[in-house]
Amino acid sequence: MKNEAYREIAYWGSIGAVVLGLINIIICFVKGINIYNTELQGDFMQLIMYPPVICFNTILYKISLAVTFLTLVMMFISYLINTDGILKILMIICKAIQLICVLGCLIGFFIFKDVSFIKLSMLFFAVMELIALILYLIDREHRKTIIRVVVFALLTVGSGVIYTVIVFLLMIVICFFLMRLLYSFFREPEHKDVLYDVNGKILGWIKRE
């Protein structure tokens, strides 16, 4: 590889974005604890659901999105520097079309006031991003890095949703173990008969029906 600096920036930047997203969730949870007895009215479920509700509106979340966008830009620059031939040309075409799509979204929002025009532009943008991702995967030198960057980007963007899923899974696991513990306390003991051999040695136990 001619220059690994931009790829390294993209990799560590994506990790930094995830860390910012995690810190954002923790701050939102602490804020929920502070208002637990006031705005949340002592409702435990509202405390659990408070972080994913407000985390998308915080400045820290927007900063993490900006860092994620920066990592994708760094990956694009690294691809342009270290890749030649048809793959490089296709990548440039994809990014050019994406810029046109962004311009289309702005025109649809400010001039036409047409939601369908904006949706169509976003659809083409997503298709071009998918093609760009395939181009990254084809290139051996960028394959592992782009996979990590995409995973970290999804973790950053969907931090609130991921938090909610993890919390509910944790609650299910806790309820399961509590049920097992209660069952072990209140279940009736099993009645078993001892099985001996001819010399009086215990061979095992037979469950009594």
Side-chain angles (χ1 to χ4, degrees), residues 52 58 103 116 157 188:
T58 61
L103 181 62
S116 60
V157 174
E188 295 182 359

Side-chain angles (χ1 to χ4, degrees), residues 125-198:
F125 185 93
V127 171
M128 290 300 104
E129 190 62 33
L130 179 61
I131 295 175
L133 178 60
I134 294 173
L135 293 176
Y136 282 122
L137 294 175
I138 292 174
D139 184 65
R140 178 175 55 86
E141 296 177 336
H142 289 87
R143 187 178 302 141
K144 290 183 180 179
T145 306
I146 192 59
I147 291 174
R148 294 168 183 170
V149 168
V150 168
V151 171
F152 291 145
L154 292 176
L155 290 175
T156 302
V157 174
S159 56
V161 178
I162 295 170
Y163 161 85
T164 305
V165 172
I166 292 175
V167 167
F168 276 100
L169 288 177
L170 184 61
M171 292 175 64
I172 291 173
V173 171
I174 292 173
C175 290
F176 173 76
F177 281 107
L178 285 176
M179 293 295 292
R180 289 287 301 270
L181 184 62
L182 291 174
Y183 176 73
S184 64
F185 280 128
F186 294 104
R187 69 176 180 178
E188 295 182 359
E190 295 181 352
H191 301 285
K192 297 181 180 180
D193 293 326
V194 181
L195 180 65
Y196 299 94
D197 63 1
V198 292

